[in-house]
Amino acid sequence: MCGNLGKATLGGGSKKGLFYTLIRNCSSETAAKCMLRLSKFASRWISNYGMSIGISDVIPYQIIEKKAEIIKNGYDKCDKLIDKFNQGKLALKAG
């Protein structure tokens, strides 16, 4: 390969991209191997030029906050149910 590889060249949701062409002409295994080799190459290139990427770089902060809030609310709900059970005030449900 030579030249620039961008979103449109690699795939971009169209049927004209490199990965779709590999799947169509070769096999999904060949496309997967190409994706793996390309990701390893890109990772090595980025690290050689002093760049790094972490999970916090690819997950929006709002999603992390919302997830933490949902988990906290779930734990609070469970704690309340456990307290009701320990006090003998938990209503029985059929089943």
Side-chain angles (χ1 to χ4, degrees), residues 24-77:
R24 186 185 64 221
N25 294 344
C26 300
S27 67
S28 58
E29 290 82 17
T30 303
K33 286 179 185 178
C34 179
M35 287 180 202
L36 178 65
R37 293 183 75 182
L38 187 60
S39 69
K40 286 182 177 182
F41 170 75
S43 177
R44 186 171 295 128
W45 185 86
I46 287 172
S47 66
N48 285 342
Y49 286 92
M51 299 172 66
S52 66
I53 186 168
I55 192 71
S56 62
D57 296 328
V58 294
I59 296 179
Y61 187 69
Q62 297 86 3
I63 292 176
I64 295 171
E65 286 179 338
K66 188 173 183 178
K67 182 180 173 182
E69 182 182 336
I70 290 170
I71 291 171
K72 183 185 177 302
N73 290 340
Y75 274 110
D76 291 343
K77 186 177 178 181

